[in-house]
Amino acid sequence: MASDNPLHDTYHPETLAVRAGREPGPHGEHSQSLFLTSSFTFGSAAEAAALFLGEQEGYTYSRFTNPTVSAFEERLAALEGAERAIATSSGMAAIQAVMMATLKAGDHIVASRSLFGSTTNLFAGTLARFGVETSFVDGADLAAWAGAARPETRLFYLETPSNPLTDVFDIRAIADIAHGAGALLVVDNCFCTPALQQPLKLGADLVVHSATKYLDGHGRVLGGAVVGASALIEPVYLHVRTAGPTLSAFNAWVLLSGLETLHLRMRRQCESALALARWLEVQPGVTRVYYPGLPSHPGHELASRQQTAGGAVVSFEVRGGREAAWRVVDAVRLISRTANLGDVKTTLTHPASTTHARITPEARQNAGIGEGLLRVAVGLEHVDDLKRDLLLGLPT
Ligand SMILES: *Cc1c(COP(=O)(O)O)cnc(C)c1O
């Protein structure tokens, strides 16, 4: 997709991550300024009227637009190779904004079964109450995607790699099926970020982000975004400015500095994740490792085509079920026991008793989330220190 900013077509992503979207003020400040203001003043009554009618470009009220937020949106759009992005207050707000802007009662969604828990709850709970039904399919089964489509299907929805088992799904093939069914494909690009994967270039129509994770990268603020072609983003923008799940200027300012180091962080965190995954594969207490960068991963070949690295999340099964898994969680001294991910500090989670505790044991079984499963989101510490920390509790 061509960007409307010619700069975006000529510079490398690393350059765009530090340069794109800067909105310099009148003082020539070198850093992006933080416009901590809820409203903007008008030169005259006529100017106010023109701004509100959209006849003149400019800022009126920060629920609509704000220069710091616009800078973040422009930079993220450049990184995804998109015409436009709209920032939101969280990743879930971004997903909700897409649904509110594109669906009406009676419409239908086909979604991968391997989704972030709150996304599943939004589809199966909230949207169902408003008369939008979702069919959940095995994301790797292309025939299942095609078979679930109906005349009223408006959206296909997936995450790749998925959380926590790092299943990899074929964006290009699923985009083709969605378009054949007259639907749009929405991809949650949280695990890869545009540093590793650009879903729009593979045929997806909209990308959603939890900026809370790798885009910030330091576990500081909540944020989200929807990215895509201008024609598809405009209704999302109109929803956000009306309903108000807007990103705060302060959070946008933090996220802009997060993006500056995105490529550096992702490159190093992916290298460490691959080294850790290889090491885990040969530990006697580890029965299985899930990491798309390993040749043993069923999606390895596909991941090598659609991602530039395996990502920074490694999941693995330990021998001995929940008791053994909890022993690893309780033994670490360096790694953080927390359910978040995407931080420069490595985090460790036992999905069956935390992120996936509220679903039935049968549903967990079906999702492949065993009692011995652990998820590590690898940060920037030296990988040898991470190995040493995990060894404190791993079964021998
Ligand atoms: C965390 C997460 C979300 C939700 O983002 P928030 O910023 O917490 O609202 C959505 N999708 C994925 C894959 C996530 O990991």
Side-chain angles (χ1 to χ4, degrees):
M1 184 182 308
S3 159
D4 52 7
N5 185 335
L7 185 142
H8 299 170
D9 298 328
T10 51
Y11 289 121
H12 291 85
E14 292 83 350
T15 307
L16 296 173
V18 294
R19 292 280 179 180
R22 232 155 38 89
E23 294 230 352
H27 307 294
E29 68 276 11
H30 195 208
S31 160
Q32 170 63 47
S33 16
L34 169 55
F35 290 92
L36 215 47
T37 179
S38 47
S39 75
F40 301 82
T41 56
F42 315 116
S44 66
E47 188 191 313
L51 282 164
F52 272 84
L53 281 175
E55 288 166 355
Q56 185 180 325
E57 286 227 2
Y59 296 99
T60 55
Y61 187 54
S62 285
R63 172 153 46 78
F64 300 3
T65 45
N66 169 289
T68 315
V69 176
S70 300
F72 168 68
E73 291 170 340
E74 207 179 299
R75 190 170 295 179
L76 183 60
L79 291 175
E80 286 286 6
E83 286 173 352
R84 193 169 168 197
I86 288 299
T88 55
S89 55
S90 68
M92 289 316 301
I95 298 168
Q96 187 208 26
V98 168
M99 301 303 147
M100 298 299 275
T102 58
L103 299 173
K104 62 180 189 314
D107 285 346
H108 175 247
I109 304 170
V110 184
S112 157
R113 205 171 279 139
S114 309
L115 293 182
F116 185 65
S118 298
T119 308
T120 304
N121 291 343
L122 179 70
F123 290 2
T126 313
L127 290 182
R129 279 198 289 110
F130 285 84
V132 173
E133 205 188 320
T134 304
S135 301
F136 293 98
V137 299
D138 172 356
D141 183 350
L142 297 180
W145 286 98
R150 304 174 188 168
E152 61 274 21
T153 304
R154 297 280 303 127
L155 296 180
F156 277 37
Y157 188 97
L158 64 87
E159 288 167 22
T160 179
S162 71
N163 184 8
L165 292 176
T166 71
D167 289 326
V168 179
F169 303 126
D170 192 332
I171 296 173
R172 192 178 290 285
I174 297 165
D176 287 346
I177 298 168
H179 298 155
L184 300 175
L185 174 63
V186 183
V187 174
D188 182 331
N189 201 24
C190 173
F191 265 44
C192 273
T193 84
L196 305 189
Q197 169 176 281
Q198 293 174 305
L200 299 173
K201 294 198 172 150
L202 298 167
D205 300 286
L206 289 169
V207 166
V208 291
H209 273 289
S210 171
T212 315
K213 312 293 169 48
Y214 293 102
L215 302 188
D216 173 21
H218 300 75
R220 299 171 293 195
V221 298
L222 290 173
V226 186
V227 194
S230 295
L232 291 176
I233 293 297
E234 181 63 14
V236 181
Y237 164 65
L238 292 176
H239 169 74
V240 171
R241 78 173 244 169
T242 301
T246 314
L247 184 67
S248 84
F250 179 79
N251 286 10
W253 183 75
V254 172
L255 290 169
L256 277 160
S257 80
L259 285 181
E260 289 174 354
T261 56
L262 177 69
H263 295 84
L264 277 178
R265 285 186 282 107
M266 291 308 285
R267 190 171 307 138
R268 172 55 73 89
Q269 288 176 227
C270 291
E271 278 168 18
S272 293
L274 177 59
L276 191 72
R278 285 186 176 137
W279 175 82
L280 282 165
E281 253 190 339
V282 296
Q283 298 310 301
V286 173
T287 53
R288 183 156 179 200
V289 181
Y290 303 85
Y291 183 68
L294 289 176
S296 61
H297 189 287
H300 177 67
E301 197 266 329
L302 173 60
S304 313
R305 268 188 285 134
Q306 79 184 12
Q307 308 173 199
T308 56
V313 175
V314 181
S315 290
F316 61 100
E317 300 265 359
V318 292
R319 189 168 20 78
R322 175 176 293 213
E323 205 182 315
W326 277 23
R327 202 172 298 127
V328 180
V329 173
D330 288 337
V332 293
R333 291 189 199 147
L334 177 72
I335 297 174
S336 310
R337 281 181 288 272
T338 173
N340 197 21
L341 61 91
D343 200 307
V344 294
K345 296 185 279 298
T346 299
T347 63
L348 175 64
T349 309
H350 179 244
S353 59
T354 59
T355 53
H356 293 72
R358 283 163 163 273
I359 60 174
T360 63
E362 296 74 48
R364 264 203 303 279
Q365 199 70 36
N366 286 339
I369 296 162
E371 290 292 332
L373 185 74
L374 291 166
R375 188 195 73 193
V376 182
V378 177
L380 285 182
E381 303 93 337
H382 196 290
V383 68
D384 289 347
D385 295 334
L386 301 178
K387 294 176 188 171
R388 198 160 54 133
D389 210 40
L390 289 171
L391 267 182
L392 295 173
L394 274 181
T396 46

